[in-house]
Amino acid sequence: MATFHVVQEGPVNALALNRDNTQVAIGGRNVFKVYTIEEDKFREVCNLRASKHLNLSFSCNDVSWSWTDDHYLATAATNGHVCVWNLTKMGKAMQEQDYQEHKRTVNKVNFHASEPNRLISGSQDGTMRYFDIRAKNAVAIFYSNTESVRDVQFSPHNPYTFAAVSENGSVQLWDVRRPDRYQQQFAAHSGPIFACDWHPESTWLATASRDKTIKVWDLTSKLTLEYTIHTIASIGHIKWRPQRRYHIASCALVVDCSINIWDVRRPYIPFAAFNEHKDIPSGVAWKEDPHTFLSSGRDCTLYQHSFNFASRPASKANPQGVSLNNKGEVLYAHKVNVNNAIVKAAVGIIRKTSTTQSPDQFHLASSLMHQFTESPRGEQSESEIFLGLANNYVLSGRSLSEMCEHNSAVAKQYGKDQVAVVWKIIKTMYGEEYLQNSTSTNREDVVSHNNLPLNNIMGGIEHTNENDQRSRGGDTPVAQFSDETENEDQVDHIAIYSNGFPTYLNFRTGLPKGDFSFGENEIDMEFDTMITDFQSGYRNYVTPQQDFVLPNEAFHLRHEIRNRTPPPDKFPNSNFPVMNDDSQTIPLEEQPQTLLTVSCLPKMPLYDSSSIVLDALKHHAILGDVQTAACVLIVLGDQRKTLNELDESTQEHWLLGYIELLSRYQLWNIATQIIKLSWIPSVEQLNQQSTRFNTNCSKCSKALQRIGWLCDRCHSSQYALCSVCHQVVKGLYAWCQGCSHGGHLAHMRQWFAINKMCPTGCRHLCEYK
Amino acid sequence: MFEAQEITAEHKDLIHDVAYDFYGQRMATCSSDQYVKVWDQNSDGKWSLTSSWKAHSGSVWKVTWAHPEFGQVLATCSFDRTAAVWEEIVGETPGPGERGTRHWVRRTNLVDSRTSVTDVKFGPRTQGLQLATCSAEGIIRIYEAPDVMNLSQWTLQYEVQCKLPCSCLSWNPSLSKMHPLMLAVGSDDPNPANGVKVFIYVYSESSRRWTKIDAITNITDPVYDISFSPNLGRSFHVLAVATKDVKIVNLTHVYDNPNLQNVITKLDAQTVAQFDDHDSTVWRVCWNVTGTILASSGDDGCVRMFKMNYINSWKPIAVLRGDGSQVPNEGHRSSVSSTLGSSVQTASQTARYIKLGAISQPRDVPWH
């Protein structure tokens, strides 16, 4: 059995097989032919349109072949004619009857299955006419009382019954002997019904409609809707598949060019589809054999299809779905393998599962969905580790060594030994101790000299450090009382006191280029307040430092604003007098000392660790641990500039990656911290996006123009008061965007914990979320 | 070890896709029964159905979430030749004791395809609201909502012709500005003679065009799913391909002209891993949020998870049996199913906790 086709000169509207399925008649506007169906091709037997004197000014809407006499064909025409053709005759005589009774297009014509010479027609004029081909006129007229009849079909079970469907969505059942009134009528669809088909065995009637459904009705004593098939387009034709109780073929009227075979029990996806037609198919005829059928199409073709070449949409459909979320949960939906379950249950044998189901199990498709959650086994999941690290890392506000030390401990605590080692390495490479050693010893002496008293105070606390063997000198004490790294301390002082020696500075800090970066300092100041609540396990703050913190807090807001101004004038000079108060003589002492170190610098080449560090960071980024890469970059502060080969776009990539992850876990505060600590303009700007708020006066709804809550129209700001306590709101003001009323955040929270309505009594159902 | 929780989806036909949202707190499922369902996770980890609606007039193949900064937005694609964008809106008038009824409205219906739309994915968030669809006729379409506040207006920006029927697509989610917009498309065309089944398209900012880059040349088996790994800091891209096995391909940029670093014309593809553990068709590949773990599912009814270790080689780390409960006591299960008639629909069970069977393969090491 093969698929083959013939091309016609015009669109084909209908086709009809003869009784023994050896010949097919096709009809269309310009086509009316009979073909013999051969093994692998159609052979034209006669062309009823060929004879010139048969000037048929009408087109065939439908063709029907007599079930009892192989010589008779009937056609339904758009001009209302119903013609009967006798294939044994020639020329004009072939047209045996030409009934001109219908006033409008005839949609359907059908021979009676058992009564010879009888046929019925259904027309757009709303009538059905029952003809005896020996008589000149219709023997019975049935008035449907609907606008138009689209299909009319004799029941295969009862010779007197026929079904008619009409454009108003109703189905009528008639008895041919009772033309006065239908036996039964029911509304089947919400749109026009274009076709119906009786089930060859069951008492089912299938109807197809413009509402994109095919419905199967059981017409036994009590009418029931058995199945509904949802299709993607209006259905123009349907035909039950022989010997397959649940299968029905459908052709769409628009959009869909394929012929779909449905299993009515699985009404969502076609059992099989035939996609040969290039335009919409206009009819289907089964060859009394479930594996072959013929179809005609608007694309001027007549096809014979074989089921062997059907496409199976369901087998292409993805039967599984998997999704992972940030908590490490796995969602898995998969097809239940009915095949397996049934076979095993029945026979107890194990059969290999197969994708292609046997047809009788096609309809049993269903899915199971599971969520897999990592069960706690004492160990933490990746996401918990990520959260723990994100929450506990310290990224600013302390000296580099301290931060590295702390972060290393945090990483270790969460079982990330490798990350802990990275932090240690960073500390070793870039910590103050190392830089101290690699630079001037002169300076160290002096500094330690100056700080001896403080060093003594601090000594006992510091000595847990594994780097103790290094010369600590003035290093950590300086860092402590100024809460800054030694290195930066120097930068700052030099920046203040010796602007004339930028090149010296570059040497001193090992930076490749001569720009002062003040970022670290600012950051320190901003985050001093944040950091104070961090409870360090191995470091205590001395009292002078707390004194030092407080003034910073007062400046906090101002510095935030300054942060966005161009760099040169944002140097937080204001801070330094405070520091200098604490550290008294250091700057003055230091300046001359550091100047002296210039001469001996070349002797102390820095070990270039950048490539190793870079490799480590990249390695972690590749492993998906962008957290480490981004955090190390941040902690490195200005030292990151020594990582020559790390271009800014990669840095940006890491920061953005980390921010994205943080926002997935809804760690907004940390994400904001990262953004603020960022040195890359495009990342810094993330905080400034979509920050505009428009406020309206809650009394007159006029947009507030000024800063604050004073309304230009009402000349009062009384409605900016808290709606609960009626006090002026200073600080966080929460308001409903629906009714503009609001007040203190805490008050509003309290209120809406109990109430739903706005506290002002404006009756608005406020939605705070 | 994983604990399995069964979620009774009550879809009337196959579930074709499941998707967690950005925060992993909501999920969406779609099915051949033309319905899309949205679920929310409550505080003790149980999922409750919050919305269910008939989304299409054909099987719904895929469902995908937009980034939450655009609102609660879903896109679906269907056998009915359309893709649709849905937005959840909170009703104005909440019922008593309710926080407002929520329902999903169709914001747009993208009807350009003439065949089944096989995949739909939102573009990277940095690009605003972009949507790519691919269809069985082999056309990739890229839509954009010029105004992110107005989801009902989408313009068809690009139509890229792909010679083979497309089955799946994936945006490269890289956050790096060094990486141009990139799409990978797979084809499930069964004929190996039709050549490569994975196509990489790269958007060129200067020419404003999507151009195909011949990178992957060795995958000629039908491809059922494709997925770029989240790229949070890698300089190269990692692409997972579900075909008859699981393939992991690294794509590295090759710069012809060092002066024009943003104009890439070449990608060097290297298959770094290939797993035939499923020993059957692989339907899905899916990454975790950091791109460290790949999960795949196949006709063997298992989810297999793979992870890259510290020497950059991929290893299987876990196997999750979809019906794991049935393996250890097969006899018991089958007797139950024969009495019930159907082993599948025991509607009374809304959630079961199942201890999964022991891992049978020696190389399947447990996670951690």
Side-chain angles (χ1 to χ4, degrees), chain A residues 560-612:
Chain A
E560 257 189 322
I561 295 156
R562 279 174 167 223
N563 199 10
R564 280 149 206 168
T565 58
D569 46 64
K570 65 177 181 176
F571 191 83
N573 285 323
S574 56
N575 197 19
F576 285 92
V578 183
M579 280 199 265
N580 296 341
D581 286 345
D582 288 338
S583 52
Q584 303 269 331
T585 55
I586 293 175
L588 296 172
E589 285 286 317
E590 207 167 40
Q591 192 192 1
Q593 285 298 335
T594 43
L595 272 171
L596 286 174
T597 59
V598 176
S599 57
C600 41
L601 243 172
K603 295 175 188 167
M604 304 293 294
L606 280 168
Y607 167 60
D608 184 16
S609 54
S610 65
S611 64
I612 291 172

Side-chain angles (χ1 to χ4, degrees), chain B residues 103-363:
Chain B
H103 63 278
W104 290 80
V105 290
R106 194 205 310 262
R107 288 300 185 200
T108 194
N109 209 17
L110 307 168
V111 295
D112 301 281
S113 176
R114 294 171 64 86
T115 57
S116 173
V117 183
T118 48
D119 204 349
V120 63
K121 289 281 183 317
F122 283 104
R125 167 175 66 114
T126 47
Q127 300 299 315
L129 264 179
Q130 286 200 349
L131 199 60
T133 65
C134 67
S135 60
E137 73 204 314
I139 296 177
I140 303 149
R141 293 183 173 84
I142 291 157
Y143 299 88
E144 185 169 7
D147 175 7
V148 295
M149 301 302 288
N150 178 10
L151 292 171
S152 46
Q153 205 184 23
W154 290 81
T155 50
L156 177 58
Q157 299 280 46
Y158 299 99
E159 261 191 3
V160 183
Q161 203 85 32
C162 179
K163 287 192 187 71
L164 295 173
C166 304
S167 59
C168 50
L169 72 89
S170 174
W171 288 87
N172 186 343
S174 173
L175 298 164
S176 171
K177 298 219 165 36
M178 291 293 286
H179 300 152
L181 272 182
M182 199 184 289
L183 270 175
V185 179
S187 169
D188 58 356
D189 185 281
N191 187 357
N194 284 341
V196 184
K197 300 292 161 34
V198 176
F199 311 96
I200 310 279
Y201 292 90
V202 169
Y203 182 70
S204 152
E205 203 70 61
S206 51
S207 65
R208 292 166 187 269
R209 240 187 290 170
W210 285 90
T211 39
K212 191 166 112 180
I213 289 194
D214 296 314
I216 294 166
T217 49
N218 56 347
I219 301 176
T220 52
D221 298 305
V223 170
Y224 303 101
D225 199 11
I226 198 164
S227 180
F228 270 112
S229 146
N231 186 343
L232 303 175
R234 292 167 175 150
S235 60
F236 56 90
H237 314 291
V238 184
L239 184 68
V241 180
T243 163
K244 63 175 193 204
D245 51 16
V246 181
K247 284 194 175 68
I248 301 171
V249 181
N250 282 1
L251 294 169
T252 318
H253 288 225
V254 178
Y255 299 106
D256 278 345
N257 183 346
N259 299 326
L260 298 165
Q261 287 237 321
N262 284 324
V263 185
I264 69 153
T265 48
K266 262 193 211 160
L267 283 168
D268 175 48
Q270 200 183 357
T271 306
V272 290
Q274 188 165 347
F275 295 104
D276 52 4
D277 298 26
H278 285 289
D279 200 21
S280 55
T281 305
V282 182
W283 287 107
R284 279 313 178 96
V285 282
C286 177
W287 294 92
N288 70 345
V289 292
T290 49
T292 50
I293 294 170
L294 176 72
S296 68
S297 79
D299 263 338
D300 59 348
C302 292
V303 176
R304 293 173 188 272
M305 300 174 90
F306 307 95
K307 188 177 182 174
M308 192 172 84
N309 64 13
Y310 280 87
I311 52 164
N312 298 0
S313 77
W314 290 87
K315 293 276 180 267
I317 53 163
V319 183
L320 312 175
R321 285 209 176 76
D323 50 355
S325 54
Q326 303 187 14
V327 176
N329 45 0
E330 184 61 50
H332 172 67
R333 284 294 298 181
S334 48
S335 66
V336 168
S337 59
S338 58
T339 48
L340 287 176
S342 157
S343 63
V344 188
Q345 281 134 359
T346 41
S348 59
Q349 345 173 280
T350 48
R352 282 185 302 163
Y353 289 90
I354 296 157
K355 193 100 170 150
L356 287 178
I359 289 162
S360 54
Q361 294 190 30
R363 56 176 160 168

